[in-house]
Amino acid sequence: MEFAKRKSTALSALAGEGVDKSPKGSLDVPIIPLLDAINAHPSYFTTSSCSGRISILSHAAPNDQSNHKNKKKKKAGDWVFITHEFADLETVTNLLFNPSFSSDDSQDTMVFRFEPFILAVDCIDVTSAHSLVAMAISCGFRESGISSVSKRIMVAIRCSIRLEVPLGEMGRMMVSPEYVRYLVGIANEKMAANRKRTDAFLGLFTASKGPADVSPLENDDKQTECMEEGNVLDLEARQLKSLSSTGAAEQDAPIHRGVQSLHREEGKSDENHDNEEFKSWSASTDKCSVSANKMKILDLPVGKLFRWGHSASLLNDSNSRRILVFGGFGGVGRHSRQNDSLLLDPRTGMLKVLHAVGPPSPRIGHTSSVIVDVYFLLSGCVFRHRHAAAVVDTKVYVHGGLYHELIYPCMHVLDTETMQWTEIDTKGEQPCARHSHSMVAAGSQLFVFGGYDGATALGDLYSFDTNICLWKKVKTTGRNPSARFSHSMFIYKRYLGIVGGCPVTKQHQGIFLFDLQTHVWKHVETEFVNYPMLVRSTVSIVGDDLVMVGGGASCYAFGTKFNEPMQVDCCLLTSLASDRHADSVAVEPLTNPEETKVGNGTCVAGLKGLTDDENLHYMACAHATNGNSRAFHDQRIAKDIVEVKPKKWALQIRRRYAKLGKDIVKKIGWLDTGRKVYKTEDEQTVFLPVTEKCHTWFLDKVPCSDNLVESPKASDSMAFCMAKGFSLDGASLPELQNLLLACGASLVEDGIALMRRQPRSPQKILREAVMSLIHQKGLPPNLLEQLPSRWERLGNIVVLPSLAFNQKIWDSVSAELWPIVARSLGAARLARQGKVAATGTRDSTLEILVGDNGWVDHHENGIFYSFDSTQCMFSWGNLSEKLRMSKLDCRSEIIVDLFAGIGYFVLPFLVKAGAKLVYACEWNPHALNALRKNVAANFVSDRCIILDGDNRIVAPQGVADRVCLGLLPTSEDSWPTAVRALKPQGGVLHVHGNVKDSEEDSWSLYVVQSLQEIAKSEGRQWQVQLEHLQRVKWYAPHIRHLVADVKCSLALW
């Protein structure tokens, strides 16, 4: 009654002629339809709102009250400008920079602001409030939540796309008109995004008739409304909805009914459900479940285990198998990052604190591994985190992960016997860069599932053979787990298991098991208490028990949620999985029948004397002619048998179902990717090229027809399934096949067989494109001789050689030429190499032809380089030398690089060779900027000292075990500096130089003799000798880039 009275009073005031209590005094026009829709719902009414506004606010200076004498006036300030629509650039600029406005002598601070839509809603009960919050969050209002549940249940709907920028003081703007126009442009973009979200919210609220009046199982109509809403709600909103609706029915139930209706529309009666097709399909929807039991924790409060993002490792000690839990976010009292170590005995429930000496810093998103009796904790928190790790023998393999915004695709391995990290040079079907995934070891095989690639959740499964370093995407059958991240994975006997993850759905409440022998996925429903949020939790196998520790999340609407530790009986879990029918259908190969039934019951005689393939073709065409074998026979005998031998097959399907049909055949593996999809002239029928397996299944199971008239039941059923957002990811093979039939698909011979174009080389594509331009512009054909045959790639820049397109005639068509070249080579940016500037800083003269700037991110040998290619040189030809340096064992060495550049050799020494310390000398300011970024990005800043300036002045003396002199064409001016940098007992010098191929021996001798003389003049009693001469590359015709490894050691005389 109280709610009804409040609503009546509020709506009466809203309908009155007087102004409302807002400063504006009226409702914002853009959101009036949304307010009307909410107020028309019996469970809600609005109390305050703003559609979003762009404004300039004047704040009084703290010590200036001259303009604010009214003490009751709000301290927020005065509006100088405000609009609830898009702001006009010139209006705002003219206002701020008007002479009369600028002459104001007050010291008020001017602030430019954009404030998004905000709405306060009074709700009849908590359930209605939860539903409204979930709907709002799904439309982008991610800061929405329940703001009060005491006297009134209030919901605040809002988001965070705000903007607030100080402009200066009244009469003294600190920004330019151009900057103000820039701000107005950003604010207008935010206003557009704001409008899009409010329109989506209105559309969703109107379409669903409000979220609170729908019960999923009341009747089919309301069930359809609920599932239609589910199509719009994003993953996060569905998480909230599934958590709040603890009494809701299983989400799979509507899909179950939908697929059942497919069988009914095919003409199958309820009594016919015992046929083989239905049996194999319905097996995947049989309900079987296992219970997850709470663990009783002794000795310490169970709240000690309330955390997520922690690590858990199984200790194989002599007394028991205990779990060591470390770190994570949570803990008793105020939640924070933890660095405590807890020992949990799952058999007894005893929980103890392990008082370790010198624990690591508090962290989250790390991993831990136990090898024999040594515990390894890997990164987390500020450094690389959200990676996956697994142990094989004495090695810890680490894949993926996140550092700031950089997502790693690489695999590293730590050899715990040598304590040496190595990036593995992998091959095969590489998984994309990802984080928040999971990885487990089964023998010498690693398995990786899911994760997040920065844009979407992933649902792929990869295996990695540690013996041959080969990645492979695993082909699976059965009901695949949906895409997810922040889940957990385990190995038990012959099964790989997946638990939980994000986005949170009802499906994630179950456990998926993957049979490592048959490669079939099984889904076992799991009965949990209180609907746990198994996000960033850990799982461990202890004996025959699956032990789940931690997990949870923070939510604006529901606060912070943690899970209690639980156990699942793995024996029961796997027995339920093995008892279930396989989610696949075995198809018998057709023989050469004398008489075979076509789907509608017509018997068609096979032609005697034909081969098996020819009779298969005969039977297929009989299907396509509705069993009219005579009509086909007349066509058949008029042609030579060889001509009609089956070649290619296609599925004929209505255009409205073409996308769904293509997704289904692609999911099953029936799509022939070597041919093109094509349509009829009226574009109403689509032909999907399919493989022989699809053809065989249709012959064996399905009555085919070229008549695509659908029954009303089929159309209704398809609309039913499509409205409910039927997920192909969670469907079994029989479900997909039945859904394909419901689309009205039929098998026909592909008489057109449009083959896809064979791949062409980039050189050929470039030549054809430039040739077309030459003909169009009337240029000499011999210009094609200047096309480059090779080029380099730096990040997403394709770098052409300096001689490419270098004749002046190309300048006349440069506007058309460079975009053509970039497109032909698949380049986002295009550049042309120039000669390295003959200056002391050796600047790059790279010319950008397509693109705005030359900054690139380049990965090489597991090392990250970032630099401005127009200012800093980079040579692919030095890769072999960098690899050679990276293979040195420099773990106990101090190295001086006299010509560090962007880190060409500094980074291989640090990242790969493991140098103890590197002094990096450089005087090019652009290279120095890149060098500082690169040592930080590769996590070696703590072992690198960067010296800015001429190495002859700033280089250290008497400290180095090794000195690198990587300057071309010669570094001779710094040879004395290099000698002084070595330790008194000597070391190794890597001397680079460009040398004529006929003078290699004489140059080597000259280097050794010169260094011997320099050492003597410096008072060093050394024996100087050539240890190795490395040929790096051809620098020019008959000019080699050489590196002399010169060993300096104390003389024995």
Side-chain angles (χ1 to χ4, degrees):
M1 292 296 294
E2 290 298 325
F3 175 81
K5 290 180 181 179
R6 293 198 308 272
K7 180 170 183 177
S8 176
T9 303
L11 295 185
S12 298
L14 196 63
E17 296 183 358
V19 298
D20 64 19
K21 296 180 180 180
S22 67
K24 178 184 174 185
S26 62
L27 297 177
D28 295 341
V29 174
I31 59 170
I32 289 179
L34 175 60
L35 302 182
D36 290 343
I38 294 175
N39 289 326
H41 195 283
S43 300
Y44 309 106
F45 70 91
T46 61
T47 61
S48 64
S49 63
C50 177
S51 65
R53 62 193 180 197
I54 300 171
S55 64
I56 299 175
L57 197 65
S58 170
H59 290 282
N63 298 323
D64 180 16
Q65 300 298 327
S66 60
N67 295 328
H68 300 274
K69 296 179 180 179
N70 186 356
K71 296 182 180 180
K72 294 184 179 180
K73 192 162 187 174
K74 292 183 178 180
K75 297 180 180 180
D78 298 320
W79 277 321
V80 176
F81 170 84
I82 184 171
T83 178
H84 294 266
E85 303 292 340
F86 294 98
D88 180 70
L89 296 172
E90 297 305 321
T91 300
V92 176
T93 307
N94 293 338
L95 172 66
L96 291 176
F97 296 94
N98 188 291
S100 60
F101 183 82
S102 302
S103 62
D104 196 318
D105 58 357
S106 69
Q107 296 182 347
D108 289 3
T109 301
M110 310 296 293
V111 180
F112 183 90
R113 304 171 70 180
F114 169 78
E115 298 164 280
F117 168 81
I118 185 169
L119 177 66
V121 182
D122 196 331
C123 305
I124 193 170
D125 53 35
V126 174
T127 301
S128 300
H130 284 328
S131 300
L132 188 65
V133 168
M135 185 178 289
I137 291 176
S138 74
C139 296
F141 297 106
R142 301 192 181 280
E143 290 192 356
S144 301
I146 301 174
S147 57
S148 173
V149 291
S150 53
K151 294 182 180 180
R152 302 169 65 179
I153 302 172
M154 297 296 300
V155 164
I157 299 173
R158 52 199 173 193
C159 63
S160 60
I161 53 172
R162 300 176 182 86
L163 177 67
E164 185 165 339
V165 181
L167 303 176
E169 296 178 353
M170 185 82 73
R172 192 164 68 96
M173 291 293 104
M174 304 302 292
V175 297
S176 66
E178 290 76 14
Y179 186 70
V180 172
R181 293 189 183 95
Y182 171 70
L183 290 179
V184 173
I186 294 178
N188 284 337
E189 291 177 1
K190 291 181 178 289
M191 180 66 82
N194 183 67
R195 290 281 176 86
K196 185 176 180 181
R197 295 181 184 186
T198 53
D199 291 345
F201 187 30
L202 172 61
L204 181 56
F205 191 93
T206 305
S208 64
K209 300 180 181 178
D213 62 342
V214 178
S215 174
L217 296 179
E218 285 181 5
N219 55 51
D220 288 343
D221 293 336
K222 288 187 177 182
Q223 189 176 358
T224 302
E225 291 173 11
C226 180
M227 293 305 294
E228 286 174 345
E229 176 187 326
N231 282 341
V232 183
L233 292 176
D234 69 3
L235 298 176
E236 293 181 36
R238 274 180 256 181
Q239 294 177 35
L240 299 173
K241 190 168 184 179
S242 64
L243 287 171
S244 61
S245 305
T246 56
E250 293 289 333
Q251 292 182 2
D252 290 339
I255 297 177
H256 188 147
R257 295 184 186 179
V259 182
Q260 281 181 329
S261 67
L262 295 182
H263 288 273
R264 290 195 289 273
E265 76 188 21
E266 291 167 21
K268 297 181 175 66
S269 64
D270 291 340
E271 292 78 9
N272 245 353
H273 283 180
D274 59 349
N275 62 60
E276 290 302 317
E277 290 86 356
F278 185 80
K279 283 181 179 178
S280 61
W281 165 78
S282 61
S284 65
T285 59
D286 290 341
K287 184 174 181 179
C288 63
S289 62
V290 63
S291 296
N293 302 313
K294 285 186 180 180
M295 292 178 58
K296 186 176 182 181
I297 301 301
L298 305 176
D299 204 23
L300 290 177
V302 68
K304 279 281 190 181
L305 293 175
F306 286 179
R307 59 188 67 203
W308 68 71
H310 55 287
S311 65
S313 296
L314 191 62
L315 304 181
N316 296 307
D317 53 29
S318 56
N319 298 324
S320 64
R321 305 194 70 187
R322 294 178 294 174
I323 298 173
L324 175 57
V325 178
F326 179 83
F329 178 86
V332 179
R334 185 186 177 105
H335 306 315
S336 62
R337 291 176 178 173
Q338 303 292 316
N339 69 335
D340 52 349
S341 302
L342 303 175
L343 277 177
L344 172 64
D345 188 337
R347 298 185 303 174
T348 63
M350 293 295 295
L351 180 65
K352 296 184 179 295
V353 175
L354 180 64
H355 298 285
V357 178
S361 61
R363 63 190 59 207
I364 184 173
H366 54 284
T367 58
S368 62
S369 305
V370 175
I371 298 178
V372 190
D373 57 352
V374 180
Y375 180 80
F376 294 88
L377 188 72
L378 304 178
S379 296
C381 193
V382 178
F383 301 102
R384 184 172 179 172
H385 59 289
R386 288 180 176 261
H387 52 278
V391 173
V392 177
D393 296 329
T394 59
K395 295 180 179 179
V396 182
Y397 290 83
V398 178
H399 179 259
L402 183 67
Y403 175 68
H404 295 305
E405 296 181 358
L406 178 64
I407 303 177
Y408 290 93
C410 47
M411 174 81 83
H412 287 83
V413 60
L414 171 64
D415 189 330
T416 60
E417 293 181 342
T418 63
M419 293 305 297
Q420 180 73 37
W421 278 105
T422 307
E423 181 179 353
I424 302 176
D425 184 12
T426 61
K427 50 193 175 184
E429 302 172 276
Q430 308 266 1
C432 66
R434 63 189 66 201
H435 66 80
S436 304
H437 52 304
S438 56
M439 182 169 70
V440 292
S444 62
Q445 295 282 330
L446 299 176
F447 290 90
V448 170
F449 178 83
Y452 193 74
D453 65 0
T456 57
L458 304 171
D460 43 11
L461 178 65
Y462 286 86
S463 66
F464 180 75
D465 191 324
T466 59
N467 293 324
I468 58 177
C469 299
L470 178 68
W471 280 108
K472 185 178 181 181
K473 189 171 185 179
V474 182
K475 296 181 179 179
T476 66
T477 58
R479 182 179 175 183
N480 293 334
S482 59
R484 64 188 69 196
F485 57 93
S486 296
H487 52 284
S488 304
M489 197 153 69
F490 63 90
I491 292 286
Y492 178 73
K493 296 183 178 178
R494 56 184 274 192
Y495 291 101
L496 177 153
I498 292 177
V499 180
C502 190
V504 177
T505 66
K506 279 295 185 75
Q507 188 194 53
H508 291 187
Q509 299 299 312
I511 297 176
F512 279 88
L513 296 179
F514 178 68
D515 193 319
L516 296 173
Q517 296 179 5
T518 64
H519 284 199
V520 176
W521 281 106
K522 315 278 186 176
H523 178 244
V524 180
E525 294 178 7
T526 309
E527 296 178 359
F528 293 102
V529 180
N530 297 332
Y531 290 86
M533 186 177 283
L534 296 171
V535 177
R536 304 189 77 176
S537 58
T538 59
V539 294
S540 305
I541 297 293
V542 181
D544 290 321
D545 288 330
L546 175 67
V547 180
M548 292 175 276
V549 175
S554 290
C555 170
Y556 186 87
F558 305 104
T560 302
K561 180 178 176 62
F562 294 104
N563 302 323
E564 295 189 33
M566 295 173 287
Q567 285 180 317
V568 173
D569 187 339
C570 288
C571 293
L572 178 60
L573 182 70
T574 54
S575 65
L576 287 173
S578 60
D579 287 344
R580 304 187 67 184
H581 296 282
D583 293 333
S584 59
V585 175
V587 180
E588 297 279 338
L590 286 179
T591 58
N592 187 14
E594 289 294 320
E595 183 174 277
T596 305
K597 284 203 172 189
V598 181
N600 58 6
T602 306
C603 291
V604 181
L607 297 179
K608 293 183 179 181
L610 299 185
T611 66
D612 290 352
D613 286 342
E614 289 166 345
N615 253 320
L616 283 175
H617 175 65
Y618 180 90
M619 299 305 301
C621 292
H623 279 288
T625 55
N626 291 321
N628 190 350
S629 59
R630 178 63 186 173
F632 171 68
H633 183 268
D634 292 341
Q635 300 172 20
R636 173 67 180 80
I637 60 177
K639 298 182 179 181
D640 184 81
I641 288 179
V642 175
E643 291 179 357
V644 295
K645 187 173 181 179
K647 296 291 185 182
K648 306 294 181 183
W649 302 96
L651 283 184
Q652 182 177 278
I653 192 170
R654 287 291 186 195
R655 179 182 175 182
R656 62 182 298 193
Y657 299 138
K659 174 66 169 63
L660 178 60
K662 183 178 179 181
D663 290 343
I664 292 172
V665 295
K666 188 175 182 180
K667 179 79 174 175
I668 298 174
W670 285 351
L671 187 66
D672 185 348
T673 56
R675 288 181 284 147
K676 287 185 177 180
V677 176
Y678 61 94
K679 298 177 288 190
T680 54
E681 290 185 4
D682 61 3
E683 297 189 348
Q684 296 305 307
T685 303
V686 177
F687 295 87
L688 305 174
V690 292
T691 62
E692 186 63 30
K693 288 183 179 180
C694 178
H695 162 235
T696 304
W697 184 83
F698 262 80
L699 290 184
D700 190 44
K701 300 287 183 183
V702 183
C704 299
S705 172
D706 57 3
N707 183 6
L708 293 181
V709 178
E710 304 166 8
S711 68
K713 289 184 178 180
S715 298
D716 293 345
S717 182
M718 277 306 304
F720 178 83
C721 276
M722 294 176 73
K724 288 173 171 47
F726 182 79
S727 173
L728 300 183
D729 291 335
S732 66
L733 177 61
E735 287 176 342
L736 295 173
Q737 292 167 337
N738 281 291
L739 190 56
L740 187 62
L741 296 181
C743 294
S746 60
L747 184 72
V748 296
E749 186 179 358
D750 190 351
I752 298 179
L754 295 173
M755 306 303 292
R756 293 189 180 275
R757 290 184 179 180
Q758 295 298 318
R760 296 178 298 162
S761 68
Q763 288 88 347
K764 187 174 182 180
I765 296 173
L766 176 62
R767 185 176 183 85
E768 291 175 357
V770 175
M771 184 185 298
S772 174
L773 178 64
I774 286 176
H775 290 327
Q776 179 184 347
K777 298 295 184 179
L779 300 178
N782 61 359
L783 288 175
L784 291 174
E785 297 175 3
Q786 288 194 25
L787 297 188
S789 58
R790 57 190 303 173
W791 46 84
E792 295 179 351
R793 284 187 182 269
L794 291 177
N796 65 354
I797 298 182
V798 167
V799 182
L800 302 175
S802 58
L803 298 180
F805 305 104
N806 65 346
Q807 288 192 14
K808 289 292 184 182
I809 194 171
W810 290 111
D811 295 341
S812 63
V813 293
S814 59
E816 299 95 338
L817 174 65
W818 301 132
I820 288 175
V821 176
R823 285 195 301 271
S824 300
L825 302 183
R829 292 180 289 173
L830 185 70
R832 182 166 53 191
Q833 190 64 267
K835 293 183 178 180
V836 177
T839 60
T841 55
R842 294 180 57 77
D843 299 310
S844 169
T845 57
L846 193 77
E847 177 188 5
I848 297 294
L849 305 172
V850 175
D852 297 330
N853 62 76
W855 271 97
V856 296
D857 294 334
H858 176 67
H859 293 265
E860 180 182 281
N861 188 30
I863 298 173
F864 176 79
Y865 296 91
S866 180
F867 58 98
D868 186 348
S869 58
T870 64
Q871 303 291 339
C872 306
M873 55 160 289
F874 191 94
S875 173
W876 274 95
N878 295 339
L879 176 59
S880 62
E881 181 62 11
K882 285 183 277 187
L883 288 172
R884 189 172 77 96
M885 294 295 103
S886 68
K887 293 178 181 178
L888 298 174
D889 185 359
C890 303
R891 284 176 291 177
S892 60
E893 293 185 354
I894 295 176
I895 300 173
V896 174
D897 190 336
L898 296 179
F899 305 94
I902 66 170
Y904 311 109
F905 295 101
V906 170
L907 295 174
F909 281 134
L910 289 167
V911 177
K912 295 297 183 177
K916 181 179 179 181
L917 181 67
V918 174
Y919 290 91
C921 303
E922 180 56 48
W923 64 2
N924 182 334
H926 304 290
L928 280 166
N929 183 25
L931 177 60
R932 293 187 179 99
K933 289 184 177 181
N934 293 335
V935 294
N938 289 278
F939 312 110
V940 291
S941 300
D942 58 330
R943 293 185 286 123
C944 183
I945 298 175
I946 299 175
L947 303 173
D948 181 359
D950 189 334
N951 61 49
R952 292 169 292 189
I953 301 173
V954 302
Q957 298 183 15
V959 299
D961 300 286
R962 192 181 302 270
V963 178
C964 181
L965 299 98
L967 180 66
L968 297 178
T970 180
S971 58
E972 188 168 357
D973 287 346
S974 293
W975 288 358
T977 306
V979 169
R980 288 191 290 268
L982 287 177
K983 291 180 177 178
Q985 62 269 31
V988 177
L989 303 174
H990 300 287
V991 183
H992 293 239
N994 285 342
V995 184
K996 288 185 178 180
D997 54 359
S998 60
E999 299 176 357
E1000 292 181 10
D1001 292 339
S1002 59
W1003 179 79
S1004 303
L1005 182 61
Y1006 173 75
V1007 170
V1008 171
Q1009 291 178 346
S1010 299
L1011 291 174
Q1012 182 74 69
E1013 292 298 323
I1014 294 171
K1016 186 177 180 180
S1017 66
E1018 294 291 333
R1020 305 292 179 94
Q1021 301 299 317
W1022 288 348
Q1023 180 181 356
V1024 180
Q1025 57 186 4
L1026 181 66
E1027 195 171 53
H1028 175 74
L1029 184 66
Q1030 180 69 28
R1031 296 177 177 87
V1032 179
K1033 65 178 184 292
W1034 287 107
Y1035 187 85
H1038 300 289
I1039 302 294
R1040 279 191 188 275
H1041 174 187
L1042 301 179
V1043 178
D1045 296 344
V1046 180
K1047 178 71 173 178
C1048 302
S1049 55
L1050 291 174
L1052 299 178
W1053 58 82

